[in-house]
Amino acid sequence: MEHIIENIKQIEARITVACERAGRAREEVKLLLATKTVTPERIKVAFAAGYTLIAENKVQELKEKYEALSDVPHTNHFIGHLQTNKVKEILRYGVSCVESVDRLDLAQKLQQRLATEDKHLDVLLQVNTSAEESKYGVAPDKALDLARAVAQCDRLHIKGLMTIGLFSAEEEKVRVCFQLLRRLQGEIAALGLPGVVMEELSMGMSGDLEIAIEEGATIVRVGTAIFGKRVYPDSYYWKESRE
């Protein structure tokens, strides 16, 4: 388990250097631990080190780990593709923010269920900034329309945007994705939609977090660089059936 702590220290150092280079305070960037396939025992090692913001990609994993992690105060986001028939479970297992709202029918199902349970939920709108078929997210040119529509759901509180950047060794191509998300953040903020606060940009992962921080990320999502390689490729977690 010691390697988890050492890996966190290395990620912390990378974030700190990136913030300094970008002229930003370290406190402006949250480290979110992507815990897909990670056992509760290993997640608790990170909790003990003070890192309690985590996220799952699949509802089934959220469900399986819920009891084991419930004795430690933590914050759980959901960052995977959310099917509408899983909305009830998302709310049952303590998710405080869904970062992957990418279509109106999902927002409406969340709204309906939240109204029934008299609850509210923070959400981020997921944008497919790389235009890759393998990734979910609203098309950039539809993002403002989605924001307008989701803003009508009074149980949902839009806090910002999320994207998965292009997986590429060419930094400038990756940077373009993050720059696009930040530009959309400004455009949506300028709409002045009631209840919409464009404060979060969730972008950047193990391989590109420095670029994301330079372009304004407030949340970086890191899993592999902390918990190690996974059995399945990332594509396994994205390509669920589309509704």
Side-chain angles (χ1 to χ4, degrees), residues 188-226:
I188 293 172
L191 296 175
L193 299 169
V196 175
V197 183
M198 283 282 114
E199 61 188 18
E200 303 288 7
L201 282 181
S202 177
M203 59 189 193
M205 299 191 290
S206 299
D208 55 17
L209 64 86
E210 286 90 353
I211 303 171
I213 289 170
E214 289 170 10
E215 297 303 333
T218 63
I219 300 172
V220 292
R221 310 181 304 273
V222 181
T224 303
I226 289 173

PDB file of all heavy atoms in Angstrom, residues 188-226:
ATOM      1  N   ILE A 188     -20.929  30.145 -21.657  1.00  0.00           N
ATOM      2  CA  ILE A 188     -22.105  29.763 -20.865  1.00  0.00           C
ATOM      3  C   ILE A 188     -22.287  30.724 -19.696  1.00  0.00           C
ATOM      4  O   ILE A 188     -23.406  31.136 -19.384  1.00  0.00           O
ATOM      5  CB  ILE A 188     -21.976  28.304 -20.375  1.00  0.00           C
ATOM      6  CG1 ILE A 188     -22.046  27.347 -21.570  1.00  0.00           C
ATOM      7  CG2 ILE A 188     -23.079  27.969 -19.369  1.00  0.00           C
ATOM      8  CD1 ILE A 188     -21.747  25.902 -21.237  1.00  0.00           C
ATOM      9  N   ALA A 189     -21.190  31.100 -19.058  1.00  0.00           N
ATOM     10  CA  ALA A 189     -21.275  32.064 -17.956  1.00  0.00           C
ATOM     11  C   ALA A 189     -21.906  33.370 -18.431  1.00  0.00           C
ATOM     12  O   ALA A 189     -22.694  33.996 -17.719  1.00  0.00           O
ATOM     13  CB  ALA A 189     -19.893  32.320 -17.371  1.00  0.00           C
ATOM     14  N   ALA A 190     -21.567  33.778 -19.669  1.00  0.00           N
ATOM     15  CA  ALA A 190     -22.076  35.042 -20.214  1.00  0.00           C
ATOM     16  C   ALA A 190     -23.578  35.014 -20.466  1.00  0.00           C
ATOM     17  O   ALA A 190     -24.210  36.074 -20.591  1.00  0.00           O
ATOM     18  CB  ALA A 190     -21.333  35.370 -21.510  1.00  0.00           C
ATOM     19  N   LEU A 191     -24.153  33.816 -20.525  1.00  0.00           N
ATOM     20  CA  LEU A 191     -25.600  33.705 -20.742  1.00  0.00           C
ATOM     21  C   LEU A 191     -26.383  34.167 -19.517  1.00  0.00           C
ATOM     22  O   LEU A 191     -27.557  34.523 -19.623  1.00  0.00           O
ATOM     23  CB  LEU A 191     -25.988  32.259 -21.067  1.00  0.00           C
ATOM     24  CG  LEU A 191     -25.437  31.655 -22.368  1.00  0.00           C
ATOM     25  CD1 LEU A 191     -25.828  30.184 -22.470  1.00  0.00           C
ATOM     26  CD2 LEU A 191     -25.936  32.422 -23.581  1.00  0.00           C
ATOM     27  N   GLY A 192     -25.744  34.142 -18.354  1.00  0.00           N
ATOM     28  CA  GLY A 192     -26.410  34.579 -17.129  1.00  0.00           C
ATOM     29  C   GLY A 192     -27.604  33.727 -16.743  1.00  0.00           C
ATOM     30  O   GLY A 192     -28.612  34.242 -16.257  1.00  0.00           O
ATOM     31  N   LEU A 193     -27.488  32.432 -16.944  1.00  0.00           N
ATOM     32  CA  LEU A 193     -28.600  31.525 -16.654  1.00  0.00           C
ATOM     33  C   LEU A 193     -28.820  31.410 -15.150  1.00  0.00           C
ATOM     34  O   LEU A 193     -27.856  31.278 -14.393  1.00  0.00           O
ATOM     35  CB  LEU A 193     -28.322  30.138 -17.242  1.00  0.00           C
ATOM     36  CG  LEU A 193     -28.154  30.078 -18.770  1.00  0.00           C
ATOM     37  CD1 LEU A 193     -27.629  28.705 -19.192  1.00  0.00           C
ATOM     38  CD2 LEU A 193     -29.481  30.383 -19.449  1.00  0.00           C
ATOM     39  N   PRO A 194     -30.057  31.447 -14.700  1.00  0.00           N
ATOM     40  CA  PRO A 194     -30.352  31.358 -13.272  1.00  0.00           C
ATOM     41  C   PRO A 194     -29.826  30.052 -12.676  1.00  0.00           C
ATOM     42  O   PRO A 194     -30.041  28.974 -13.227  1.00  0.00           O
ATOM     43  CB  PRO A 194     -31.888  31.393 -13.210  1.00  0.00           C
ATOM     44  CG  PRO A 194     -32.314  31.974 -14.517  1.00  0.00           C
ATOM     45  CD  PRO A 194     -31.283  31.586 -15.511  1.00  0.00           C
ATOM     46  N   GLY A 195     -29.126  30.160 -11.560  1.00  0.00           N
ATOM     47  CA  GLY A 195     -28.652  28.973 -10.862  1.00  0.00           C
ATOM     48  C   GLY A 195     -27.435  28.293 -11.466  1.00  0.00           C
ATOM     49  O   GLY A 195     -26.971  27.278 -10.957  1.00  0.00           O
ATOM     50  N   VAL A 196     -26.912  28.835 -12.565  1.00  0.00           N
ATOM     51  CA  VAL A 196     -25.749  28.231 -13.217  1.00  0.00           C
ATOM     52  C   VAL A 196     -24.489  28.973 -12.782  1.00  0.00           C
ATOM     53  O   VAL A 196     -24.379  30.186 -12.955  1.00  0.00           O
ATOM     54  CB  VAL A 196     -25.882  28.269 -14.755  1.00  0.00           C
ATOM     55  CG1 VAL A 196     -24.610  27.744 -15.411  1.00  0.00           C
ATOM     56  CG2 VAL A 196     -27.081  27.453 -15.197  1.00  0.00           C
ATOM     57  N   VAL A 197     -23.552  28.234 -12.201  1.00  0.00           N
ATOM     58  CA  VAL A 197     -22.293  28.815 -11.734  1.00  0.00           C
ATOM     59  C   VAL A 197     -21.152  28.085 -12.435  1.00  0.00           C
ATOM     60  O   VAL A 197     -20.897  26.921 -12.164  1.00  0.00           O
ATOM     61  CB  VAL A 197     -22.136  28.682 -10.204  1.00  0.00           C
ATOM     62  CG1 VAL A 197     -20.844  29.357  -9.752  1.00  0.00           C
ATOM     63  CG2 VAL A 197     -23.333  29.265  -9.481  1.00  0.00           C
ATOM     64  N   MET A 198     -20.477  28.749 -13.321  1.00  0.00           N
ATOM     65  CA  MET A 198     -19.405  28.109 -14.096  1.00  0.00           C
ATOM     66  C   MET A 198     -18.069  28.163 -13.337  1.00  0.00           C
ATOM     67  O   MET A 198     -17.116  28.790 -13.761  1.00  0.00           O
ATOM     68  CB  MET A 198     -19.271  28.793 -15.454  1.00  0.00           C
ATOM     69  CG  MET A 198     -20.333  28.413 -16.451  1.00  0.00           C
ATOM     70  SD  MET A 198     -20.004  26.794 -17.202  1.00  0.00           S
ATOM     71  CE  MET A 198     -21.388  25.869 -16.535  1.00  0.00           C
ATOM     72  N   GLU A 199     -18.031  27.471 -12.185  1.00  0.00           N
ATOM     73  CA  GLU A 199     -16.823  27.578 -11.360  1.00  0.00           C
ATOM     74  C   GLU A 199     -15.858  26.414 -11.548  1.00  0.00           C
ATOM     75  O   GLU A 199     -14.686  26.520 -11.191  1.00  0.00           O
ATOM     76  CB  GLU A 199     -17.218  27.683  -9.884  1.00  0.00           C
ATOM     77  CG  GLU A 199     -17.994  26.488  -9.365  1.00  0.00           C
ATOM     78  CD  GLU A 199     -18.538  26.695  -7.956  1.00  0.00           C
ATOM     79  OE1 GLU A 199     -18.608  27.851  -7.512  1.00  0.00           O
ATOM     80  OE2 GLU A 199     -18.887  25.699  -7.313  1.00  0.00           O
ATOM     81  N   GLU A 200     -16.327  25.280 -12.083  1.00  0.00           N
ATOM     82  CA  GLU A 200     -15.478  24.106 -12.188  1.00  0.00           C
ATOM     83  C   GLU A 200     -15.155  23.740 -13.637  1.00  0.00           C
ATOM     84  O   GLU A 200     -16.038  23.755 -14.506  1.00  0.00           O
ATOM     85  CB  GLU A 200     -16.143  22.893 -11.517  1.00  0.00           C
ATOM     86  CG  GLU A 200     -16.495  23.086 -10.049  1.00  0.00           C
ATOM     87  CD  GLU A 200     -15.279  23.093  -9.129  1.00  0.00           C
ATOM     88  OE1 GLU A 200     -14.133  23.084  -9.620  1.00  0.00           O
ATOM     89  OE2 GLU A 200     -15.483  23.110  -7.905  1.00  0.00           O
ATOM     90  N   LEU A 201     -13.909  23.405 -13.876  1.00  0.00           N
ATOM     91  CA  LEU A 201     -13.477  22.807 -15.136  1.00  0.00           C
ATOM     92  C   LEU A 201     -12.776  21.501 -14.770  1.00  0.00           C
ATOM     93  O   LEU A 201     -11.648  21.517 -14.279  1.00  0.00           O
ATOM     94  CB  LEU A 201     -12.506  23.729 -15.897  1.00  0.00           C
ATOM     95  CG  LEU A 201     -13.090  24.904 -16.653  1.00  0.00           C
ATOM     96  CD1 LEU A 201     -11.976  25.677 -17.350  1.00  0.00           C
ATOM     97  CD2 LEU A 201     -14.131  24.454 -17.674  1.00  0.00           C
ATOM     98  N   SER A 202     -13.462  20.400 -14.973  1.00  0.00           N
ATOM     99  CA  SER A 202     -12.898  19.093 -14.673  1.00  0.00           C
ATOM    100  C   SER A 202     -12.253  18.562 -15.942  1.00  0.00           C
ATOM    101  O   SER A 202     -12.934  18.124 -16.877  1.00  0.00           O
ATOM    102  CB  SER A 202     -13.998  18.133 -14.183  1.00  0.00           C
ATOM    103  OG  SER A 202     -13.476  16.846 -13.945  1.00  0.00           O
ATOM    104  N   MET A 203     -10.933  18.623 -15.982  1.00  0.00           N
ATOM    105  CA  MET A 203     -10.209  18.191 -17.182  1.00  0.00           C
ATOM    106  C   MET A 203      -8.770  17.901 -16.797  1.00  0.00           C
ATOM    107  O   MET A 203      -8.211  18.516 -15.887  1.00  0.00           O
ATOM    108  CB  MET A 203     -10.275  19.254 -18.278  1.00  0.00           C
ATOM    109  CG  MET A 203      -9.723  20.622 -17.927  1.00  0.00           C
ATOM    110  SD  MET A 203     -10.090  21.844 -19.217  1.00  0.00           S
ATOM    111  CE  MET A 203      -9.008  23.205 -18.719  1.00  0.00           C
ATOM    112  N   GLY A 204      -8.195  16.951 -17.495  1.00  0.00           N
ATOM    113  CA  GLY A 204      -6.833  16.552 -17.180  1.00  0.00           C
ATOM    114  C   GLY A 204      -6.808  15.280 -16.358  1.00  0.00           C
ATOM    115  O   GLY A 204      -7.579  15.132 -15.396  1.00  0.00           O
ATOM    116  N   MET A 205      -5.957  14.337 -16.787  1.00  0.00           N
ATOM    117  CA  MET A 205      -5.810  13.074 -16.090  1.00  0.00           C
ATOM    118  C   MET A 205      -4.317  12.791 -15.900  1.00  0.00           C
ATOM    119  O   MET A 205      -3.493  13.702 -16.006  1.00  0.00           O
ATOM    120  CB  MET A 205      -6.541  11.966 -16.853  1.00  0.00           C
ATOM    121  CG  MET A 205      -8.043  12.241 -16.968  1.00  0.00           C
ATOM    122  SD  MET A 205      -9.021  10.843 -17.581  1.00  0.00           S
ATOM    123  CE  MET A 205      -8.481  10.771 -19.281  1.00  0.00           C
ATOM    124  N   SER A 206      -3.995  11.537 -15.627  1.00  0.00           N
ATOM    125  CA  SER A 206      -2.607  11.185 -15.311  1.00  0.00           C
ATOM    126  C   SER A 206      -1.607  11.711 -16.329  1.00  0.00           C
ATOM    127  O   SER A 206      -0.544  12.215 -15.971  1.00  0.00           O
ATOM    128  CB  SER A 206      -2.464   9.664 -15.200  1.00  0.00           C
ATOM    129  OG  SER A 206      -3.268   9.145 -14.177  1.00  0.00           O
ATOM    130  N   GLY A 207      -1.933  11.600 -17.619  1.00  0.00           N
ATOM    131  CA  GLY A 207      -0.964  11.929 -18.656  1.00  0.00           C
ATOM    132  C   GLY A 207      -0.920  13.371 -19.100  1.00  0.00           C
ATOM    133  O   GLY A 207       0.050  13.790 -19.748  1.00  0.00           O
ATOM    134  N   ASP A 208      -1.940  14.152 -18.760  1.00  0.00           N
ATOM    135  CA  ASP A 208      -1.997  15.510 -19.315  1.00  0.00           C
ATOM    136  C   ASP A 208      -2.432  16.561 -18.294  1.00  0.00           C
ATOM    137  O   ASP A 208      -2.881  17.643 -18.661  1.00  0.00           O
ATOM    138  CB  ASP A 208      -2.941  15.544 -20.525  1.00  0.00           C
ATOM    139  CG  ASP A 208      -4.349  15.029 -20.203  1.00  0.00           C
ATOM    140  OD1 ASP A 208      -4.706  14.939 -19.016  1.00  0.00           O
ATOM    141  OD2 ASP A 208      -5.084  14.702 -21.154  1.00  0.00           O
ATOM    142  N   LEU A 209      -2.288  16.258 -17.011  1.00  0.00           N
ATOM    143  CA  LEU A 209      -2.802  17.184 -16.001  1.00  0.00           C
ATOM    144  C   LEU A 209      -2.097  18.528 -16.009  1.00  0.00           C
ATOM    145  O   LEU A 209      -2.705  19.569 -15.699  1.00  0.00           O
ATOM    146  CB  LEU A 209      -2.756  16.543 -14.611  1.00  0.00           C
ATOM    147  CG  LEU A 209      -1.419  16.159 -13.978  1.00  0.00           C
ATOM    148  CD1 LEU A 209      -0.776  17.316 -13.239  1.00  0.00           C
ATOM    149  CD2 LEU A 209      -1.596  14.983 -13.025  1.00  0.00           C
ATOM    150  N   GLU A 210      -0.800  18.545 -16.374  1.00  0.00           N
ATOM    151  CA  GLU A 210      -0.082  19.825 -16.413  1.00  0.00           C
ATOM    152  C   GLU A 210      -0.683  20.769 -17.450  1.00  0.00           C
ATOM    153  O   GLU A 210      -0.877  21.961 -17.188  1.00  0.00           O
ATOM    154  CB  GLU A 210       1.404  19.599 -16.724  1.00  0.00           C
ATOM    155  CG  GLU A 210       2.202  19.028 -15.573  1.00  0.00           C
ATOM    156  CD  GLU A 210       2.230  17.502 -15.538  1.00  0.00           C
ATOM    157  OE1 GLU A 210       1.505  16.885 -16.339  1.00  0.00           O
ATOM    158  OE2 GLU A 210       2.971  16.939 -14.716  1.00  0.00           O
ATOM    159  N   ILE A 211      -0.976  20.235 -18.627  1.00  0.00           N
ATOM    160  CA  ILE A 211      -1.573  21.057 -19.685  1.00  0.00           C
ATOM    161  C   ILE A 211      -2.932  21.566 -19.234  1.00  0.00           C
ATOM    162  O   ILE A 211      -3.278  22.738 -19.429  1.00  0.00           O
ATOM    163  CB  ILE A 211      -1.704  20.251 -20.993  1.00  0.00           C
ATOM    164  CG1 ILE A 211      -0.357  19.708 -21.442  1.00  0.00           C
ATOM    165  CG2 ILE A 211      -2.311  21.120 -22.103  1.00  0.00           C
ATOM    166  CD1 ILE A 211      -0.450  18.734 -22.609  1.00  0.00           C
ATOM    167  N   ALA A 212      -3.715  20.682 -18.612  1.00  0.00           N
ATOM    168  CA  ALA A 212      -5.050  21.068 -18.148  1.00  0.00           C
ATOM    169  C   ALA A 212      -4.982  22.192 -17.122  1.00  0.00           C
ATOM    170  O   ALA A 212      -5.765  23.151 -17.165  1.00  0.00           O
ATOM    171  CB  ALA A 212      -5.763  19.847 -17.557  1.00  0.00           C
ATOM    172  N   ILE A 213      -4.033  22.089 -16.191  1.00  0.00           N
ATOM    173  CA  ILE A 213      -3.888  23.129 -15.167  1.00  0.00           C
ATOM    174  C   ILE A 213      -3.482  24.451 -15.807  1.00  0.00           C
ATOM    175  O   ILE A 213      -3.992  25.519 -15.440  1.00  0.00           O
ATOM    176  CB  ILE A 213      -2.876  22.685 -14.096  1.00  0.00           C
ATOM    177  CG1 ILE A 213      -3.482  21.558 -13.248  1.00  0.00           C
ATOM    178  CG2 ILE A 213      -2.469  23.855 -13.199  1.00  0.00           C
ATOM    179  CD1 ILE A 213      -2.512  20.867 -12.327  1.00  0.00           C
ATOM    180  N   GLU A 214      -2.601  24.396 -16.770  1.00  0.00           N
ATOM    181  CA  GLU A 214      -2.198  25.616 -17.475  1.00  0.00           C
ATOM    182  C   GLU A 214      -3.381  26.268 -18.182  1.00  0.00           C
ATOM    183  O   GLU A 214      -3.417  27.496 -18.351  1.00  0.00           O
ATOM    184  CB  GLU A 214      -1.101  25.282 -18.496  1.00  0.00           C
ATOM    185  CG  GLU A 214       0.234  24.939 -17.855  1.00  0.00           C
ATOM    186  CD  GLU A 214       1.234  24.369 -18.858  1.00  0.00           C
ATOM    187  OE1 GLU A 214       0.946  24.415 -20.079  1.00  0.00           O
ATOM    188  OE2 GLU A 214       2.294  23.875 -18.438  1.00  0.00           O
ATOM    189  N   GLU A 215      -4.365  25.452 -18.577  1.00  0.00           N
ATOM    190  CA  GLU A 215      -5.523  25.976 -19.298  1.00  0.00           C
ATOM    191  C   GLU A 215      -6.738  26.221 -18.408  1.00  0.00           C
ATOM    192  O   GLU A 215      -7.824  26.509 -18.897  1.00  0.00           O
ATOM    193  CB  GLU A 215      -5.894  25.030 -20.444  1.00  0.00           C
ATOM    194  CG  GLU A 215      -4.810  24.897 -21.509  1.00  0.00           C
ATOM    195  CD  GLU A 215      -4.411  26.227 -22.147  1.00  0.00           C
ATOM    196  OE1 GLU A 215      -5.250  27.160 -22.190  1.00  0.00           O
ATOM    197  OE2 GLU A 215      -3.253  26.343 -22.594  1.00  0.00           O
ATOM    198  N   GLY A 216      -6.545  26.092 -17.082  1.00  0.00           N
ATOM    199  CA  GLY A 216      -7.615  26.512 -16.176  1.00  0.00           C
ATOM    200  C   GLY A 216      -8.362  25.428 -15.430  1.00  0.00           C
ATOM    201  O   GLY A 216      -9.381  25.707 -14.794  1.00  0.00           O
ATOM    202  N   ALA A 217      -7.903  24.191 -15.468  1.00  0.00           N
ATOM    203  CA  ALA A 217      -8.579  23.114 -14.745  1.00  0.00           C
ATOM    204  C   ALA A 217      -8.708  23.436 -13.264  1.00  0.00           C
ATOM    205  O   ALA A 217      -7.773  23.944 -12.647  1.00  0.00           O
ATOM    206  CB  ALA A 217      -7.830  21.795 -14.925  1.00  0.00           C
ATOM    207  N   THR A 218      -9.858  23.122 -12.691  1.00  0.00           N
ATOM    208  CA  THR A 218     -10.046  23.235 -11.242  1.00  0.00           C
ATOM    209  C   THR A 218     -10.150  21.857 -10.598  1.00  0.00           C
ATOM    210  O   THR A 218     -10.066  21.732  -9.387  1.00  0.00           O
ATOM    211  CB  THR A 218     -11.311  24.044 -10.902  1.00  0.00           C
ATOM    212  OG1 THR A 218     -12.462  23.351 -11.411  1.00  0.00           O
ATOM    213  CG2 THR A 218     -11.243  25.439 -11.501  1.00  0.00           C
ATOM    214  N   ILE A 219     -10.373  20.835 -11.430  1.00  0.00           N
ATOM    215  CA  ILE A 219     -10.395  19.448 -10.964  1.00  0.00           C
ATOM    216  C   ILE A 219      -9.574  18.621 -11.946  1.00  0.00           C
ATOM    217  O   ILE A 219      -9.811  18.677 -13.158  1.00  0.00           O
ATOM    218  CB  ILE A 219     -11.830  18.875 -10.918  1.00  0.00           C
ATOM    219  CG1 ILE A 219     -12.733  19.665  -9.969  1.00  0.00           C
ATOM    220  CG2 ILE A 219     -11.807  17.398 -10.515  1.00  0.00           C
ATOM    221  CD1 ILE A 219     -14.202  19.261 -10.036  1.00  0.00           C
ATOM    222  N   VAL A 220      -8.599  17.874 -11.444  1.00  0.00           N
ATOM    223  CA  VAL A 220      -7.887  16.907 -12.287  1.00  0.00           C
ATOM    224  C   VAL A 220      -8.208  15.519 -11.761  1.00  0.00           C
ATOM    225  O   VAL A 220      -8.241  15.287 -10.549  1.00  0.00           O
ATOM    226  CB  VAL A 220      -6.362  17.153 -12.327  1.00  0.00           C
ATOM    227  CG1 VAL A 220      -6.057  18.444 -13.062  1.00  0.00           C
ATOM    228  CG2 VAL A 220      -5.757  17.176 -10.930  1.00  0.00           C
ATOM    229  N   ARG A 221      -8.465  14.599 -12.681  1.00  0.00           N
ATOM    230  CA  ARG A 221      -8.925  13.258 -12.326  1.00  0.00           C
ATOM    231  C   ARG A 221      -7.781  12.259 -12.541  1.00  0.00           C
ATOM    232  O   ARG A 221      -7.408  12.003 -13.680  1.00  0.00           O
ATOM    233  CB  ARG A 221     -10.138  12.880 -13.180  1.00  0.00           C
ATOM    234  CG  ARG A 221     -11.239  13.947 -13.185  1.00  0.00           C
ATOM    235  CD  ARG A 221     -12.430  13.537 -14.024  1.00  0.00           C
ATOM    236  NE  ARG A 221     -12.091  13.209 -15.394  1.00  0.00           N
ATOM    237  CZ  ARG A 221     -12.005  14.082 -16.397  1.00  0.00           C
ATOM    238  NH1 ARG A 221     -12.222  15.380 -16.167  1.00  0.00           N
ATOM    239  NH2 ARG A 221     -11.712  13.689 -17.624  1.00  0.00           N
ATOM    240  N   VAL A 222      -7.277  11.712 -11.461  1.00  0.00           N
ATOM    241  CA  VAL A 222      -6.099  10.846 -11.569  1.00  0.00           C
ATOM    242  C   VAL A 222      -6.384   9.483 -10.942  1.00  0.00           C
ATOM    243  O   VAL A 222      -6.812   9.408  -9.783  1.00  0.00           O
ATOM    244  CB  VAL A 222      -4.870  11.478 -10.884  1.00  0.00           C
ATOM    245  CG1 VAL A 222      -3.659  10.574 -11.037  1.00  0.00           C
ATOM    246  CG2 VAL A 222      -4.588  12.862 -11.481  1.00  0.00           C
ATOM    247  N   GLY A 223      -6.165   8.438 -11.708  1.00  0.00           N
ATOM    248  CA  GLY A 223      -6.358   7.087 -11.204  1.00  0.00           C
ATOM    249  C   GLY A 223      -5.129   6.233 -11.379  1.00  0.00           C
ATOM    250  O   GLY A 223      -4.475   5.828 -10.421  1.00  0.00           O
ATOM    251  N   THR A 224      -4.766   5.975 -12.628  1.00  0.00           N
ATOM    252  CA  THR A 224      -3.659   5.075 -12.948  1.00  0.00           C
ATOM    253  C   THR A 224      -2.354   5.485 -12.277  1.00  0.00           C
ATOM    254  O   THR A 224      -1.627   4.639 -11.742  1.00  0.00           O
ATOM    255  CB  THR A 224      -3.448   5.013 -14.476  1.00  0.00           C
ATOM    256  OG1 THR A 224      -4.669   4.591 -15.094  1.00  0.00           O
ATOM    257  CG2 THR A 224      -2.356   4.038 -14.837  1.00  0.00           C
ATOM    258  N   ALA A 225      -2.040   6.759 -12.302  1.00  0.00           N
ATOM    259  CA  ALA A 225      -0.755   7.223 -11.754  1.00  0.00           C
ATOM    260  C   ALA A 225      -0.695   7.103 -10.232  1.00  0.00           C
ATOM    261  O   ALA A 225       0.378   7.207  -9.647  1.00  0.00           O
ATOM    262  CB  ALA A 225      -0.505   8.670 -12.168  1.00  0.00           C
ATOM    263  N   ILE A 226      -1.842   6.856  -9.606  1.00  0.00           N
ATOM    264  CA  ILE A 226      -1.866   6.686  -8.156  1.00  0.00           C
ATOM    265  C   ILE A 226      -2.063   5.223  -7.759  1.00  0.00           C
ATOM    266  O   ILE A 226      -1.330   4.680  -6.935  1.00  0.00           O
ATOM    267  CB  ILE A 226      -2.974   7.562  -7.525  1.00  0.00           C
ATOM    268  CG1 ILE A 226      -2.567   9.038  -7.605  1.00  0.00           C
ATOM    269  CG2 ILE A 226      -3.230   7.163  -6.064  1.00  0.00           C
ATOM    270  CD1 ILE A 226      -3.631  10.010  -7.168  1.00  0.00           C
TER     271      ILE A 226
END
